[in-house]
Amino acid sequence: GNSVTQMEGPVTLSEEAFLTINCTYTATGYPSLFWYVQYPGEGLQLLLKATKADDKGSNKGFEATYRKETTSFHLEKGSVQVSDSAVYFCALMKTSYDKVIFGPGTSLSVIP
Amino acid sequence: GAGVSQSPRYKVAKRGQDVALRCDPISGHVSLFWYQQALGQGPEFLTYFQNEAQLDKSGLPSDRFFAERPEGSVSTLKIQRTQQEDSAVYLCASSLGVDSGYTFGSGTRLTVV
């Protein structure tokens, strides 16, 4: 079946450090891939997306590239801020009308 | 409205009590999803509506869970005879149906005591 695997957290980084959160997926065909973020006490928000192989999604300094050959969609940011502290979810969707399948989430804490 | 609205924001139910959770999607959004998010885990799919039609209910954990969207807009998730394992945040999401992801509500946190 379709599934998403993420690196386990929690991840703790100092401000301005480089961030990588690994994500790999299992799916047939060519799913759309997403990163969602959940800030403390808030709902899920779409952070970025990519809909086909080699696409790069980017937003708020975060980037992720859709790698079909490694079935990966790793999230990166060059310099994290305290305000980036949140839980990050990698997710996939097979078609426009299909359900979104989420990974277990990775908690990130950024300390000053 | 501007976003997906869910109510109540918090619900405490005694074990065995029935609960109803409401979702107001973004106006005009065709697709509506319900998810269950247990503490420290990712959201798990429960059910999906396209307009008023429930096209997928494969994620509903038991026959105590029931969802409806009679007029293709507001949706209600009903849980009968609640049990402690039903304690979770219930998330609703809606979409126009294009590959842009979904807009999630803030969720209803259900605690069964």
Side-chain angles (χ1 to χ4, degrees):
Chain A
N2 303 319
S3 65
V4 177
T5 303
Q6 290 180 237
M7 64 185 288
E8 290 190 17
V11 174
T12 301
L13 295 174
S14 297
E15 205 165 22
E16 299 183 1
F18 184 86
L19 168 72
T20 299
I21 300 179
N22 290 337
C23 169
T24 57
Y25 68 90
T26 300
T28 56
Y30 299 89
S32 294
L33 302 175
F34 305 89
W35 277 99
Y36 281 84
V37 58
Q38 191 170 37
Y39 297 103
E42 298 185 17
L44 280 165
Q45 300 175 28
L46 179 64
L47 181 60
L48 53 84
K49 67 178 177 75
T51 57
K52 60 183 186 296
D54 300 325
D55 265 3
K56 177 183 284 187
S58 61
N59 186 26
K60 299 181 181 179
F62 290 89
E63 292 184 339
T65 301
Y66 189 143
R67 300 291 187 197
K68 179 72 174 170
E69 64 276 15
T70 55
T71 62
S72 65
F73 193 55
H74 305 322
L75 182 68
E76 297 181 336
K77 187 175 185 181
S79 176
V80 294
Q81 305 300 313
V82 172
S83 57
D84 294 327
S85 298
V87 181
Y88 292 82
F89 295 92
C90 187
L92 70 82
M93 182 170 65
K94 287 295 299 296
T95 65
S96 297
Y97 286 91
D98 202 1
K99 55 185 174 283
V100 177
I101 296 171
F102 290 88
T106 302
S107 176
L108 170 66
S109 294
V110 180
I111 55 177
Chain B
V4 178
S5 177
Q6 291 188 247
S7 61
R9 188 77 173 86
Y10 302 93
K11 176 69 178 177
V12 178
K14 292 184 177 179
R15 190 168 48 187
Q17 185 179 353
D18 296 349
V19 299
L21 312 180
R22 177 187 170 103
C23 173
D24 273 281
I26 294 174
S27 179
H29 276 197
V30 169
S31 299
L32 186 146
F33 293 78
W34 283 98
Y35 285 82
Q36 180 190 59
Q37 186 176 18
L39 187 64
Q41 297 183 23
E44 295 283 343
F45 169 79
L46 292 177
T47 187
Y48 160 56
F49 289 87
Q50 184 174 330
N51 296 306
E52 69 279 2
Q54 189 174 20
L55 298 186
D56 187 346
K57 54 181 181 179
S58 62
L60 296 176
S62 76
D63 58 7
R64 297 186 295 104
F65 286 71
F66 172 76
E68 60 184 5
R69 194 186 184 196
E71 297 178 357
S73 55
V74 171
S75 178
T76 303
L77 176 67
K78 298 179 179 178
I79 308 173
Q80 298 177 323
R81 305 180 304 280
T82 53
Q83 301 177 6
Q84 283 193 316
E85 60 262 32
D86 299 335
S87 295
V89 175
Y90 290 86
L91 298 170
C92 177
S94 71
S95 172
L96 279 172
V98 297
D99 283 328
S100 59
Y102 291 81
T103 302
F104 281 84
S106 296
T108 294
R109 181 177 296 278
L110 172 66
T111 303
V112 181
V113 298

